Amino acid sequence: MAAEESCAPAAQKTVLVGVTGCIAAYKSCEIVRLLQKAGVRVKVVMTEHATEFVGPTTFRALTHETVAVGLFDDPSDPIHHVSLAQEADVFLIAPCTANVIAKIANGLADDLLTTTALACTSPLVIAPAMNVNMYENPATRYNIGKLHIRGARIVEAGDGYLACGDVGRGRLAEPADIVAAVLEELGVSRDLAGRRVLVTAGPTVEPIDPVRYISNHSSGKTGYAIARAAARRGADVTLVSGPTALATPEGVRTVHVKTARDMLAAAEEAYPAADVAVFSAAVADMRPKEAAARKLKKGAPGTDLGTIELVENPDILATLGAAKRVGQVVVGFAAETENVVANARKKLATKHADLIVGNVVGEGRAFGTDDNEVWLVSADDVEEFPLMSKERLADEILDRAVQFFG
Ligand code: C5P
């Protein structure tokens, strides 16, 4: 099946996408496409400033709909703001500037977009994007708080490099996350409601002594994205995570562990009740046989820093895969430097998985990045995916897992 066809279609709902004057306006194109893929009809309304970043023609071509900018653009519809507002099942504003947030929070309506927002009674979803200082400014926080209290859904901006060169919060949230919020407001994509999902994520660390350890470069981003996506789709999620720098996902039961053996113990507890188990953790395959109680010191009598005796760690996926019960869906990963599909096929069989997500690692790929290029390998299918965000990949994996329920 093509990756393009995997989203559950929403019953021809209309989402009005408001685009404001921000460098992230180009990301609205991706948002429009993702909404369309979920079966949603999209109409776009832009501020004048937004047109400095992306032209209305782009959105007209993407949506096959007229794109509104000025209050009096459409001579055939003198109350365009009201008809647009009535058509919208959800009004999404992404990216939303500090200025537009302030205007909407205070009921100002001096252009088509803000007038439509005032006239719209459907759910309002706002995805802010701006410079970190503007975002953290008490005025903006206060205005966002006001909108939140009035029932608007805020898809908060993320951390990272900003267009202005600053680093911090203010980056438009991932398009997939924004779209998920919109779909939730539309009442779609709750296909994991009532299901339990277990996810292992991140690296494990295996102590050599109190200050040193064996580990790997896993960031945990994929596993966390899967846990978040499963929760968004209605699942009761347990995330068993090795040490990462990531924020604990909201609405997800998270168990923090360090070693492979701790991870196995925590996973074993959640596994029997899990409908879907996704083993995305990069578990260290070996550990020092003994962790020294004191820091190993150069030249200390009886200490040979050149040798650490290693023993093999338990394979969590293989152990739990072998105990799979009927109806359980098990997803594993294969991070390979070569022969990804062949190795994924092998793991499918040896680890009793239903689906293996194969990807190439090394040379700066997969580990720590925000996107990945994978193959999804099941007993009767191999799908090759283009480079995509880990957020999007999470949904693709869950789309496949859900299919095993029939
Ligand atoms: O055999 P390999 O480590 O390449 O297999 C990778 C898959 O097995 C991943 O899904 C990973 O989470 C899982 N795994 C595990 N426990 C290990 C090693 C790998 O669960 N000790």
Side-chain angles (χ1 to χ4, degrees), residues 142-403:
Y142 180 66
N143 288 330
I144 288 177
K146 259 167 115 173
L147 287 171
H148 177 67
I149 286 166
R150 291 215 304 260
R153 178 155 177 171
I154 313 295
V155 186
E156 293 278 5
D159 269 312
Y161 285 99
L162 305 175
C164 51
D166 281 351
V167 178
R169 212 149 70 115
R171 239 173 99 105
L172 184 70
E174 282 297 321
D177 284 341
I178 295 169
V179 169
V182 171
L183 294 180
E184 219 172 81
E185 294 299 325
L186 286 174
V188 296
S189 285
R190 301 290 289 174
D191 54 356
L192 284 168
R195 304 277 188 187
R196 284 173 204 265
V197 174
L198 163 67
V199 183
T200 69
T204 64
V205 299
E206 313 294 335
I208 296 169
D209 66 17
V211 293
R212 305 176 179 106
Y213 56 80
I214 294 176
S215 190
N216 57 64
H217 294 298
S218 168
S219 66
K221 284 180 183 171
T222 299
Y224 275 58
I226 293 167
R228 276 198 306 271
R232 219 161 45 218
R233 292 166 74 147
D236 176 326
V237 185
T238 301
L239 171 66
V240 180
S241 172
T244 73
L246 304 173
T248 301
E250 255 178 66
V252 167
R253 189 179 313 102
T254 306
V255 185
H256 294 282
V257 295
K258 290 209 166 78
T259 67
R261 286 177 297 170
D262 293 345
M263 185 174 272
L264 174 61
E268 266 173 337
E269 222 170 277
Y271 184 71
D275 299 293
V276 179
V278 184
F279 296 91
S280 66
V283 184
D285 287 325
M286 71 291 265
R287 67 174 185 275
K289 187 173 180 194
E290 305 278 355
R294 301 225 170 101
K295 185 180 168 191
L296 299 174
K297 280 189 181 301
K298 269 187 279 198
T303 303
D304 172 11
L305 286 189
T307 312
I308 300 172
E309 195 179 343
L310 299 175
V311 291
E312 205 172 315
N313 261 333
D315 188 314
I316 300 168
L317 166 57
T319 308
L320 298 182
K324 189 167 68 158
R325 62 171 165 77
V326 178
Q328 232 169 1
V329 181
V330 169
V331 182
F333 279 66
E336 308 290 342
T337 46
E338 59 206 347
N339 300 331
V340 176
V341 174
N343 282 314
R345 278 218 175 91
K346 244 185 257 168
K347 273 172 203 168
L348 203 60
T350 56
K351 303 203 184 201
H352 304 275
D354 298 291
L355 185 70
I356 292 283
V357 184
N359 62 270
V360 182
V361 288
E363 293 165 2
R365 295 166 79 163
F367 276 144
T369 59
D370 286 326
D371 30 44
N372 204 353
E373 207 171 342
V374 306
W375 287 261
L376 295 190
V377 181
S378 61
D380 44 28
D381 206 7
V382 175
E383 292 179 82
E384 185 178 352
F385 283 79
L387 189 69
M388 64 172 69
S389 74
K390 289 180 175 175
E391 300 293 339
R392 164 98 188 276
L393 174 61
D395 274 311
E396 297 287 357
I397 293 168
L398 292 174
D399 286 346
R400 302 304 175 288
V402 164
Q403 284 172 11

Side-chain angles (χ1 to χ4, degrees), residues 47 66 95 97 132 180 200 218 260:
T47 62
T66 53
T97 57
V132 56
T200 69
S218 168

